[in-house]
Amino acid sequence: MILTQGELESLIHVLHRCPHQLLGMHPLGDGSGVVVRALVPNAKQVEVHPVHEKDKTVIKLQRLHESGLFEGTTPKANRVYAYDLVITDFEGKTRRTRDAYSFLPTLGEMDLYLFGQGNERRIYDKLGAHLRVIDGVAGTSFAVWAPNAQRVSVVGAFNNWDGRYHSMRSLGASGVWEIFIPGVGEATLYKYEIKNIRGALVLKTDPYGFFFEPAPKNASIVWDNTKFTWTDKEWMKRRAEQNALRAPVSIYEVHLGSWRKKNSYESFSYREIAEPLVEYCRRMNFTHVEFLPISEHAFYPSWGYQVTGFYSTTSRYGTPDEFQYLVNALHEAGIGVFVDWVPAHFPRDDWALAHFDGTALYEHEDPRKGAHQDWVTLIFNFGRHEVRNFLAANALFWCERFHVDGLRVDAVASMLYLDYSRKEGEWVANEYGGRENLEAVEFLRHFNHVVHTESPGVITIAEESTAWPLVTRPPYLGGLGFSFKWNMGWMHDTLSYFQRNAVYRKYHQNDLTFAMLYHHNENFLLPLSHDEVVHGKGSLIGRMPGDDWQQFANLRTLLGYQWLFPGKKLLFMGGEIGQRSEWNANQSLDWHLLEMGPYHRGLQRFIEDANKFYKATPALWLGDYDYDGFFWVDCSDHENSILSFVRQTNDRTSRVLVILNLTPVPRHNYRVGLPEGGFWKEVLNSDADIYGGSNLGNLGGVNAEQYQVHSQPWSAQFSLPPLSVIAFTPVH
């Protein structure tokens, strides 16, 4: 035996931090040959067979210890060569494999240096499990960050889930452990067996895993997510050239598990849902789909917001390739794809990220900084370079591997404030004594910079519910760098207004006008999201006052107002058909409602036509954030609850007059000012009978008179239907 007693102990107890130094083939120190060692538990015999050498000398290894440690030497070789291990077990079965300990590391010094800096933007190509062919040998390389672990092994069915077989090597001070295992192919299940800093053995899934077992199981799965053949080249080219701020953006927010279901228990797969979802969104004229998180999550009732696999699509609906198929199909139909992204927190599951190597690795140790009060989850340590790298690269991963066109970042406010949902004494101030999370601010700026520079045309959207300044301004101006921000104030005020009985609305007209006082502070997106139809809030239609007719008239007016008001649009699925019940993630939308009378079908048709009009009318999107893109014609008629405004392009070639009558009383001969003369065509009327309305209108349009009203040089008399929004464009 050439090993020292200490080296022997480190191998048989699987404690050596770099087992490759002792296992595998090595030249003897005196130049007299080579020595080969292998740790193969449950092996009766192990032989070394040269692969390419002319001298086919077989080295029969001798058992050094009952643990399965074998060793052998030969004077016939004075250099290391390629070889196979031929292993015979106690049942007489023989298998042949290349030795995992005969390969050099698959990560280089620069990879590790950049990771340590937090700047390896495609770290997902380095860490995790990757199918490779090295020296003609097919297998999988594994790499994981666990700086405080005593030992890390890869386990799976290929080694009987026994951590003694494939103990990984530590790559110096980087904290990364690595090994290449020959013969491990795609679809192989695996985990990391970690002897953590406390000496406990724990099984962990791969933080960079590309695929996972369906819950409640949680093993990672070796997967190649680069093999899909994309056919959306033209879409990607147009996306890179487009400025979303000056383009139509009408988003259909979808929860994949409950949009439509096969039956009460089974959801459609990514591939199966592609055709009906594409057809529906195309018919309804939405420009984009936004998916609630499709990252892997163990707890289905979290709707995906408690992520356990940041680099994996959830296996509930199929493979990563099938999700790529869905995105590709949407792109081919001219429909963009956004996904919800959750860097604010992660769950406490002991098999996932929490206390990964026995220490607070991804999270803060101090619960005043690292524990989320609202969701009983953990908060990322945004100041740690490797954690920042994990998250920023993850954002880029979704843009590059899955061609997503935008990331809507969940719960940004919870990231920005150290005292978020905390009482006095439950939080730690920053270095200046303030409540701002400076590390999170820097991370968000970094993330936005990385996404916008590496993936031109991809947009980022902040769900930020406070008045934090400059959310959608570039970092070099002191902003966070997002493309858009959800206008939560508009959403709250608008829903509050529309829920009121019409008789009281005259006292609350400012709820609808207030949004324009701060509209130009940010690039706002107007959301009526899933958050507004859960947790006892009821459905949108259920919150409208009055009888059936009035409820649907109110909802058509609300949605028409959303579509015609400045800012991009988002509507959660079911809102467009007047879903009566609160959203339930366990069941399909109530599509049968479309067969029950004219109101549900009429509302759906209204959204279809509103989207069509919106996309075809530059005044409604080209100048969303221009000061000249909007002006109130009259917002002072509180007594009658009537509002009117104009949307227009800077060159005035596209103009839309919008009038809202927010009571059930029709108004005839109601004079409204106009910015130009001629004939104004009625192009949208939420009261049309095809939408379920009373069919009161203006007989196709009105002729302007040179009579000054509302500070406008022209005006006309209009018939205003009850509870309606109507729109007119000038005919040139």
Side-chain angles (χ1 to χ4, degrees):
M1 182 177 73
I2 305 170
L3 295 173
T4 66
Q5 186 63 32
E7 291 172 332
L8 177 65
E9 293 286 334
S10 70
L11 288 178
I12 63 178
H13 294 298
V14 199
L15 286 175
H16 202 287
R17 292 184 65 83
C18 193
H20 292 68
Q21 292 179 352
L22 301 178
L23 298 177
M25 181 180 288
H26 303 275
L28 290 168
D30 58 4
S32 60
V34 296
V35 60
V36 183
R37 296 186 198 93
L39 180 62
V40 191
N42 304 318
K44 180 180 180 181
Q45 177 180 298
V46 179
E47 295 179 347
V48 173
H49 289 233
V51 175
H52 305 299
E53 299 297 304
K54 294 180 181 179
D55 182 358
K56 296 296 183 180
T57 302
V58 173
I59 307 173
K60 292 187 177 181
L61 306 187
Q62 304 300 312
R63 182 185 296 273
L64 291 184
H65 190 271
E66 60 184 8
S67 63
L69 181 62
F70 292 81
E71 179 184 88
T73 62
T74 175
K76 295 186 177 182
N78 55 17
R79 60 180 176 82
V80 173
Y81 54 84
Y83 63 93
D84 287 340
L85 296 177
V86 178
I87 302 164
T88 304
D89 63 22
F90 286 98
E91 296 179 354
K93 296 179 182 177
T94 299
R95 61 186 178 91
R96 182 169 180 150
T97 179
R98 289 291 283 271
D99 187 357
Y101 294 94
S102 66
F103 294 90
L104 295 172
T106 53
L107 283 84
E109 288 295 325
M110 184 56 69
D111 301 324
L112 300 174
Y113 173 76
L114 291 173
F115 178 54
Q117 277 195 328
N119 289 324
E120 177 46 84
R121 296 185 174 179
R122 289 163 185 81
I123 191 62
Y124 50 84
D125 284 335
K126 314 296 171 58
L127 298 186
H130 297 276
L131 294 165
R132 301 183 192 273
V133 177
I134 300 177
D135 295 336
V137 179
T140 300
S141 66
F142 298 88
V144 63
W145 180 57
N148 302 299
Q150 296 185 40
R151 185 257 295 175
V152 183
S153 298
V154 183
V155 296
F158 53 88
N159 60 18
N160 298 315
W161 299 92
D162 188 334
R164 296 174 294 173
Y165 279 91
H166 294 111
S167 177
M168 306 173 80
R169 64 178 143 211
S170 173
L171 298 179
S174 68
V176 173
W177 301 73
E178 184 272 351
I179 193 172
F180 173 75
I181 305 179
V184 172
E186 189 167 51
T188 300
L189 274 61
Y190 71 98
K191 288 187 179 184
Y192 294 117
E193 181 183 273
I194 298 178
K195 189 168 189 177
N196 67 26
I197 196 170
R198 296 179 177 85
L201 277 181
V202 293
L203 286 175
K204 291 283 191 177
T205 54
D206 190 348
Y208 290 85
F210 292 153
F211 196 26
F212 287 84
E213 281 186 295
K217 296 180 179 180
N218 52 46
S220 306
I221 302 175
V222 176
W223 202 263
D224 176 13
N225 55 25
T226 65
K227 62 182 181 294
F228 180 78
T229 303
W230 293 92
T231 58
D232 63 348
K233 183 177 179 180
E234 288 303 313
W235 169 272
M236 298 293 282
K237 182 176 182 292
R238 288 197 306 272
R239 184 186 79 181
E241 298 169 349
Q242 187 180 57
N243 178 3
L245 295 175
R246 305 182 69 79
V249 177
S250 168
I251 306 166
Y252 188 50
E253 189 186 29
V254 172
H255 177 259
L256 270 175
S258 58
W259 182 66
R260 284 184 183 166
K261 297 178 79 73
K262 290 182 180 180
N263 50 55
S264 300
Y265 308 100
E266 190 177 3
S267 298
F268 287 102
S269 71
Y270 298 119
R271 181 177 285 270
E272 290 168 335
I273 210 167
E275 183 176 348
L277 182 60
V278 166
E279 188 279 328
Y280 186 73
C281 291
R282 186 158 46 188
R283 177 167 71 86
M284 294 298 293
N285 295 303
F286 284 101
T287 65
H288 294 78
V289 170
E290 180 179 315
F291 294 117
L292 270 63
I294 46 82
S295 301
E296 190 57 82
H297 52 285
F299 186 51
Y300 182 76
S302 78
W303 313 327
Y305 290 99
Q306 294 194 10
V307 179
T308 51
F310 281 80
Y311 282 85
S312 170
T313 56
T314 177
S315 57
R316 286 179 176 83
Y317 314 122
T319 67
D321 311 57
E322 291 179 304
F323 181 67
Q324 290 167 325
Y325 176 90
L326 171 58
V327 174
N328 191 69
L330 286 161
H331 282 175
E332 287 192 322
I335 300 165
V337 178
F338 300 155
V339 297
D340 279 12
W341 188 58
V342 193
H345 61 118
F346 60 93
R348 296 172 180 264
D349 301 82
D350 58 8
W351 45 265
L353 290 182
H355 271 72
F356 191 76
D357 60 4
T359 67
L361 192 62
Y362 287 88
E363 67 273 35
H364 288 275
E365 184 66 49
D366 188 339
R368 293 176 299 172
K369 297 179 71 175
H372 213 298
Q373 305 286 84
D374 290 352
W375 303 303
V376 197
T377 51
L378 299 172
I379 300 171
F380 282 104
N381 183 348
F382 300 109
R384 194 162 195 169
H385 296 318
E386 296 88 348
V387 174
R388 184 180 68 172
N389 206 151
F390 172 80
L391 290 171
N394 183 246
L396 201 57
F397 169 83
W398 288 103
C399 302
E400 295 194 344
R401 292 289 173 88
F402 293 99
H403 288 200
V404 302
D405 306 295
L407 299 167
R408 176 264 190 183
V409 184
D410 181 62
V412 171
S414 76
M415 301 170 67
L416 293 174
Y417 298 98
L418 294 165
D419 64 344
Y420 185 87
S421 288
R422 297 180 190 274
K423 300 174 184 176
E424 189 68 33
E426 294 179 347
W427 58 282
V428 181
N430 64 35
E431 60 187 290
Y432 303 108
R435 64 193 187 110
E436 300 83 8
N437 189 334
L438 302 178
E439 295 167 342
V441 170
E442 287 308 309
F443 164 72
L444 289 171
R445 289 171 173 164
H446 173 70
F447 141 74
N448 277 306
H449 173 75
V450 167
V451 169
H452 291 141
T453 54
E454 297 284 335
S455 296
V458 169
I459 71 169
T460 59
I461 306 168
E463 184 211 14
E464 202 286 304
S465 54
T466 74
W468 185 281
L470 307 177
V471 171
T472 56
R473 299 299 181 258
Y476 65 81
L477 295 178
L480 296 182
F482 284 93
S483 310
F484 298 107
K485 173 181 172 174
W486 274 17
N487 194 338
M488 310 291 277
W490 174 90
M491 175 273 298
H492 178 271
D493 292 344
T494 301
L495 286 178
S496 176
Y497 180 91
F498 274 90
Q499 286 175 219
R500 298 183 188 279
N501 188 293
V503 72
Y504 303 114
R505 288 179 175 175
K506 62 183 178 181
Y507 305 111
H508 300 278
Q509 190 144 313
N510 288 343
D511 285 353
L512 296 187
T513 60
F514 181 61
M516 283 312 299
L517 294 181
Y518 61 84
H519 173 72
H520 294 288
N521 292 350
E522 303 283 1
N523 303 326
F524 281 117
L525 185 153
L526 310 178
L528 290 173
S529 73
H530 66 281
D531 283 329
E532 308 318 312
V533 292
V534 292
H535 301 317
K537 296 176 183 175
S539 63
L540 289 181
I541 190 67
R543 291 154 82 170
M544 300 295 105
D547 57 19
D548 271 6
W549 188 92
Q550 290 194 25
Q551 282 188 314
F552 276 91
N554 269 306
L555 185 53
R556 290 193 302 272
T557 304
L558 163 61
L559 296 176
Y561 170 63
Q562 178 188 16
W563 253 249
L564 299 171
F565 198 73
K568 310 310 180 184
K569 330 296 177 187
L570 179 141
L571 180 65
F572 184 58
M573 64 182 199
E576 83 282 8
I577 64 171
Q579 169 101 2
R580 285 203 170 273
S581 59
E582 187 173 270
W583 172 53
N584 182 346
N586 296 312
Q587 64 186 45
S588 174
L589 293 182
D590 294 334
W591 294 105
H592 64 275
L593 294 174
L594 295 173
E595 308 304 320
M596 299 175 62
Y599 294 147
H600 296 279
R601 290 196 306 274
L603 176 62
Q604 185 188 47
R605 173 68 182 272
F606 176 68
I607 295 300
E608 178 184 342
D609 289 351
N611 263 327
K612 184 177 181 180
F613 174 55
Y614 169 71
K615 291 199 298 184
T617 309
L620 297 177
W621 41 262
L622 191 61
D624 268 327
Y625 310 107
D626 293 342
Y627 282 96
D628 289 340
F630 170 96
F631 65 85
W632 291 111
V633 175
D634 180 38
C635 59
S636 62
D637 190 357
H638 297 250
E639 193 62 35
N640 292 312
S641 298
I642 294 173
L643 290 165
S644 53
F645 58 84
V646 165
R647 301 292 310 280
Q648 61 188 11
T649 56
N650 286 337
D651 61 6
R652 310 298 192 262
T653 57
S654 178
R655 264 180 170 159
V656 180
L657 169 72
V658 179
I659 309 174
L660 293 103
N661 178 12
L662 298 165
T663 70
V665 179
R667 309 285 179 182
H668 297 284
N669 301 318
Y670 189 93
R671 187 170 289 275
V672 176
L674 295 170
E676 62 180 270
F679 183 73
W680 286 71
K681 181 181 180 182
E682 186 176 82
V683 288
L684 189 68
N685 183 340
S686 67
D687 191 54
D689 61 353
I690 58 172
Y691 306 141
S694 62
N695 214 33
L696 176 64
N698 292 271
L699 302 177
V702 297
N703 283 298
E705 304 172 56
Q706 201 164 2
Y707 182 83
Q708 183 172 337
V709 173
H710 300 140
S711 301
Q712 301 300 313
W714 301 79
S715 64
Q717 290 185 325
F718 295 83
S719 292
L720 308 185
L723 294 173
S724 68
V725 56
I726 52 178
F728 299 81
T729 57
V731 177
H732 294 116

